[in-house]
Each structure stands twice: as structure tokens, then as C-alpha cells.
Amino acid sequence: MSVMAIVSLTASAQSYIGGSACFELKNVRYTGTSHNNSATVTTFGIAPEYGYNLNDKLALGMQIGVSVSSVTHQPSTTTIAVDPYLRYKFVKSGPFTVFNDFVLEWSTNMTDDDSASAYAFGLRPGVSVDLGKNWSVAATTDLFYYKTYPDDDLSQTGFAIDPTNVRLGLFYNF
């Protein structure tokens, strides 16, 4: 009976599985008393994702991502992030859905000789397009985030849609 109950819940569940990838290449200019130069930042990342639609407007999901960033004349940084989120779907029109994710994040950044953990929350807007009965693609970016590194007494805040930091994903809906 337990197996039948699990199978029936899974059969009627509106879950999705997939993932996204991102590639970012940008030139950053450092200014100040000790810095007055520029550097190129290159980042590549993948993030498998699982989600469950609670109803037509809300979904719960989880991303687990790995990315590698390199900055000119510095060692590369590997980041592992766990991002649970609550998705609110604002508009559904035909195959298009406009949504926003409220994201909580735990991450660790590792270089050759150092590592630092961080905690963050933020808003991640996106749009998805249904490709058929079970497949969809989605694009997301960061709108707002607050990240803190408690060991280093450092925090970051960002507020803007960055067209150089777009995640593209492919999802199977079952």
C-alpha cells in the first residue's frame, strides 16, 4: 500500500527536474588608493535543479551549483552553492511564464590556499517557455542580493538586472 501511495503521489505531482548553465565574461575596473587597474573575470557554472509546483502560482525548488571563476593574474576560485527557493509565477500567457524566485543561499568559495563560506538571500526574476508537453526552457538573472561572509566580516549587496549574468536552463516537467 505504501508503494502504491508513493507512486500515485508521484504520478500526480507537478515536479520538474533539469538545470542551468551560465557563462560570464566581463572587464572589471578597480579604483582606489591601492588599486588602479582592470581585470578580466571569466566564470562558468552549472546548477542541477529540482522543483515542485504547489499550485498554479507557487513552487518550491532547490539548485545545487558549481562554478569556476578566474580573474586576471589571480588564482581561480571554485564555488559550490546550495540555493533553496520559493518561486512565485506572476504571469502565464500561452507558453510563457514570468516568475520571481526568493532565494536563500549557502556557498563556499575555494582557492588554492583559502576557503570562505557565505550566506545570502535575494530575488531572481526569470521567464520560462514551454516547448511542448513536458519540456521547457528558462532564463534567470539576479535582481537583488545580499551576501555575507561571516568569517571575513565582509558583505556584498547588489541591485540591478545584469545582462552579463543570465542563467539558461532546460527542464523536464513530470
Side-chain angles (χ1 to χ4, degrees), residues 23-92:
F23 177 76
E24 181 179 21
L25 179 63
K26 65 182 174 183
N27 192 18
V28 177
R29 184 160 191 72
Y30 299 99
T31 58
T33 56
S34 63
H35 298 295
N36 195 9
N37 56 7
S38 63
T40 301
V41 179
T42 306
T43 303
F44 176 75
I46 58 170
E49 183 174 336
Y50 173 78
Y52 180 80
N53 293 306
L54 300 171
N55 55 40
D56 290 344
K57 294 282 188 184
L58 291 175
L60 289 174
M62 172 82 73
Q63 272 188 346
I64 299 174
V66 176
S67 65
V68 177
S69 298
S70 64
V71 180
T72 308
H73 308 297
Q74 294 182 13
S76 63
T77 302
T78 302
T79 302
I80 299 172
V82 177
D83 297 349
Y85 63 85
L86 174 67
R87 176 170 290 173
Y88 180 76
K89 301 170 193 168
F90 290 100
V91 177
K92 173 109 173 112

Side-chain angles (χ1 to χ4, degrees), residues 84-127:
Y85 63 85
L86 174 67
R87 176 170 290 173
Y88 180 76
K89 301 170 193 168
F90 290 100
V91 177
K92 173 109 173 112
S93 178
F96 298 97
T97 303
V98 179
F99 60 87
N100 192 46
D101 293 344
F102 177 74
V103 181
L104 299 174
E105 179 181 286
W106 169 84
S107 62
T108 185
N109 301 313
M110 299 170 285
T111 60
D112 293 338
D113 57 351
D114 194 21
S115 68
S117 293
Y119 304 96
F121 65 89
L123 299 175
R124 186 172 48 201
V127 62

